[in-house]
Amino acid sequence: MAGKGVKSLGEAMRGLSLASSQTCRTMPLRPSLLLSVRSMATEAPMASITRSVDQPWQPLTTVPLTIYSFPSLEPCSLESWSTKHLHLPLRRDILHLAVVYEGDKTRQGTASSKTRWEVHGSHHKARRQKGTGHSRLGTKQSPMLRGGGKAHGPRPRDFSTELNRKVYDLAWRMALSYRYRRGELIVTENGLDLPLPDDFLGLAEAGELNRELEDGFVRKYMSQIMTGLGWGKEHGRTTFITGDRRPNLFTGMEVCGVHGRALELDDVDVKDLLETGRIVIERDALKEMIKMHQSDLQSKIVINGQRVMGPPLGKVLIDA
Amino acid sequence: MRRLGRLRSSASALSNSTHPLRAPAPAVATFYSSQTEQPSPHTSAPRAWQSRFQTTQRRCLSSSSSSSANNTTADLEPTVEEDYVEEYDTSTESDLVYPREVVEVLSPEEITDPDYVPAETVEGLEEVGGLADWWDQEEHWGPSKQYAGFGPLEKVTEPTVLEVLTRRALVEALVIKRFAETAEKEATAAALKAVGGDKKGLLNIAAVELVAGEDGTLTLKDEKNFEGVWASLSSAEADAVPSSPPISTEEARKLVKTWDNEWKLAALRDPIVKFYVAKRIQRLTGHVVPDAKLLDINTPGTLYALLNKPPKPKKLAEVVQQTGALQDLPNVAFYPRRVTPVDKEQMVGRWKVIQRELQKRELPVTGTGKHSKTVEWKWAHGEH
């Protein structure tokens, strides 16, 4: 039976110049004349996730994190962080949700216009009901008139929307992970600040330089650092994040704003993490940031006196 | 948050001609008030700069500090501040040249002289230079203020030199990994920062044979080499990074030819070794290897390929020019920018003629000049 079927199939295939005696599994890949000339521009490379049963899948659990010194960018120490903190897969939709949520929450919502009841003036009838040849008119605050009230104008309101905390926290770490993957997350030692040369500080202290000269010096000094590191304007600017305000760094970035910005940890949003060419953050600020945004990794349910607290916040492999 | 008070009295704003820090400067860019010789106090508030001494103190976050080390530092801070007298060592030699006797001009409101008559035209007034570009002039900016990073400012891009330096970094990283735990911290730090400017040292280290060990990981073939390389590394003196590698392209090419490909295929898995490799690579070549890339690097070959990869072109035109694509096609012309109508006229040699004829009629060559568009055009486009 099967032989007959194959035979008739063979006859049918002959017209198409295909051989039916070969099964799909053994059939050699015949390059199509037209399609083999060029590959598809959008063709994805073959995924390497296929594996056999005897090779158990061992997913990555930790990623290395180098702590640099600033401004020399010397690698000082090495830490190991959980992939759930710094190596999450990118979900653009979640980042979008977070950015929209922040944008909504930041809206001032103070736009306001006066209705006809709020516009100043007498509510006396503007003209009599009949006999003027004009249309009927009540008061001069009528929305129809110039200077009258606004019929459906903006009123102060709260534009903020809601987002589940676990989703928002995931978005924070996802933004950090995105930066990490692209090599745009630079973690520095604690106390990230701009060290100014001693002789300049001496001159500034002695009052030898006026403000224009001081700012000019810091601007040039900072520009040199940013250009030397490849962090400047031509490389997409840089966001510095510190735990609190560091006078030299923050003032330096104010006068040298073309090359980037400096933010305190409390002022940082997910959107800030996604802007500019790279994020330079001090180690404790990063730790605090992740600590504050890991609600999706922690459980509130206590079992046997313990609850899941999520992966540890960094493990030192090489100390400075 | 500690800050030093930087409140200056108006007296300190006056120039002090006997200040030891002042370098002799040409009397340029000085401001003189035409009506009064009295210098004015600074009108803008002074900046509060922090000294290097303070910035090196470890600061901890108010809410997140949990480690005892940080707390200790925080406890110590007030003492430090008390000990630290707000005085700079003014005997420090400075290579900055700054203007002497800066006298700021009074604003018209501040002038009390009844004879003062403000000028109404700019003619006849003396011109004085501003200080906006003072530091941009080479002779004012001290050479010690140039930025110096951990690695050379110019990255090494020559493939063969890069290969030699990569191999050197690998050898050194393996050696440092072996001795880092037992050796003193200073010795390890010196080894990690060694620049090894001389060619002999470089050739010695690059000549050390690298093989795959029993478990396939990268190691040195000869055990004796560990000691030898460590001795030369740990005794290296701190030195500035040389601007160019100590080996020429030709020498590097010869050296690379003597190696087989085996060392590039051995496994490189230990994150600590990879960290040391990245640090040595940065010191020797100026390439910063990001952590995420370190994850993907599993052999010396992949490391070298990463370093040797040219930077991504910013424009599509650069890609086409580099790859030489489209150039063989007879019916395709390639331009790095938009082909404008002027370009098209130039291609057929008509542009000069058009220009001449337009100028003869006193019409604008490009744009509409003083002739606005027709009223009908505005009507058609809804502009009234």
Side-chain angles (χ1 to χ4, degrees), chain B residues 64-342:
Chain B
S64 69
S65 62
S66 54
S67 65
S68 59
N70 280 354
N71 285 336
T72 325
T73 320
D75 293 339
L76 282 176
E77 274 184 353
T79 342
V80 171
E81 193 171 18
E82 279 168 22
D83 292 344
Y84 181 64
V85 187
E86 194 190 324
E87 286 293 328
Y88 292 92
D89 184 10
T90 45
S91 62
T92 316
E93 284 296 319
S94 173
D95 50 3
L96 293 173
V97 179
Y98 58 96
R100 292 180 189 190
E101 296 182 7
V102 177
V103 182
E104 291 193 0
V105 182
L106 292 174
S107 63
E109 295 80 38
E110 290 172 311
I111 296 171
T112 51
D113 187 358
D115 300 334
Y116 172 70
V117 181
E120 290 181 349
T121 59
V122 76
E123 280 175 27
L125 289 183
E126 186 191 354
E127 271 188 49
V128 288
L131 295 171
D133 59 344
W134 177 267
W135 300 114
D136 291 334
Q137 293 168 37
E138 277 296 314
E139 61 271 22
H140 298 160
W141 188 253
S144 70
K145 306 295 177 293
Q146 300 291 340
Y147 173 72
F150 186 61
L153 273 184
E154 288 278 319
K155 285 181 190 171
V156 177
T157 49
E158 180 60 40
T160 48
V161 178
L162 204 54
E163 192 169 342
V164 172
L165 292 179
T166 308
R167 186 161 161 137
R168 173 185 173 159
L170 285 162
V171 170
E172 289 174 343
L174 290 169
V175 170
I176 291 169
K177 168 71 173 46
R178 173 165 291 197
F179 291 97
E181 284 178 10
T182 52
E184 288 177 7
K185 266 200 163 183
E186 289 77 21
T188 313
L192 283 167
K193 285 185 183 178
V195 284
D198 61 329
K199 193 162 75 178
K200 197 180 161 196
L202 168 64
L203 292 178
N204 281 343
I205 294 178
V208 172
E209 282 194 69
L210 284 171
V211 288
E214 287 174 6
D215 55 346
T217 53
L218 186 74
T219 182
L220 304 196
K221 190 176 183 184
D222 194 350
E223 279 290 317
K224 289 175 195 165
N225 284 330
F226 278 101
E227 292 285 348
V229 174
W230 175 251
S232 66
L233 272 183
S234 54
S235 61
E237 288 180 11
D239 203 358
V241 187
S243 54
S244 61
I247 189 169
S248 70
T249 313
E250 198 52 45
E251 288 166 328
R253 191 174 296 139
K254 281 180 193 165
L255 193 60
V256 168
K257 273 186 186 172
T258 61
W259 299 334
D260 56 2
N261 224 17
E262 191 194 346
W263 68 282
K264 281 189 181 174
L265 302 174
L268 194 63
R269 292 196 199 94
D270 187 356
I272 295 177
V273 173
K274 284 196 219 175
F275 170 79
Y276 287 139
V277 172
K279 186 160 179 172
R280 290 304 294 154
I281 289 274
Q282 192 180 341
R283 185 71 167 167
L284 296 171
T285 68
H287 288 266
V288 181
V289 187
D291 293 325
K293 297 282 182 194
L294 275 186
L295 267 182
D296 297 337
I297 290 170
N298 290 319
T299 61
T302 47
L303 171 67
Y304 173 63
L306 173 77
L307 299 175
N308 202 17
K309 196 176 167 188
K312 198 177 167 188
K314 284 187 177 171
K315 287 183 171 181
L316 178 66
E318 291 169 16
V319 182
V320 177
Q321 272 170 344
Q322 278 174 13
T323 55
L326 309 176
Q327 284 176 1
D328 299 337
L329 301 174
N331 58 341
V332 174
F334 173 73
Y335 303 95
R337 61 174 176 84
R338 185 175 80 90
V339 180
T340 61
V342 175

Side-chain angles (χ1 to χ4, degrees), chain A residues 185-230:
Chain A
L185 181 72
I186 294 124
V187 183
T188 68
E189 292 178 307
N190 293 334
L192 168 66
D193 203 350
L194 174 69
L196 290 167
D198 287 337
D199 54 347
F200 164 74
L201 288 170
L203 289 173
E205 172 63 14
E208 297 290 326
L209 309 173
N210 63 10
R211 173 127 176 202
E212 190 178 13
L213 279 173
E214 274 185 18
D215 285 359
F217 178 88
V218 174
R219 186 181 300 119
K220 172 145 187 188
Y221 194 70
M222 193 80 207
S223 298
Q224 278 195 342
I225 292 176
M226 299 299 271
T227 315
L229 290 169

Side-chain angles (χ1 to χ4, degrees), chain B residues 363-384:
Chain B
L363 289 169
V365 176
T366 52
T368 55
K370 61 182 179 182
H371 309 283
S372 59
K373 285 170 186 164
T374 59
V375 177
E376 290 81 359
W377 189 93
K378 286 183 183 174
W379 293 343
H381 289 79
E383 295 174 16
H384 302 294

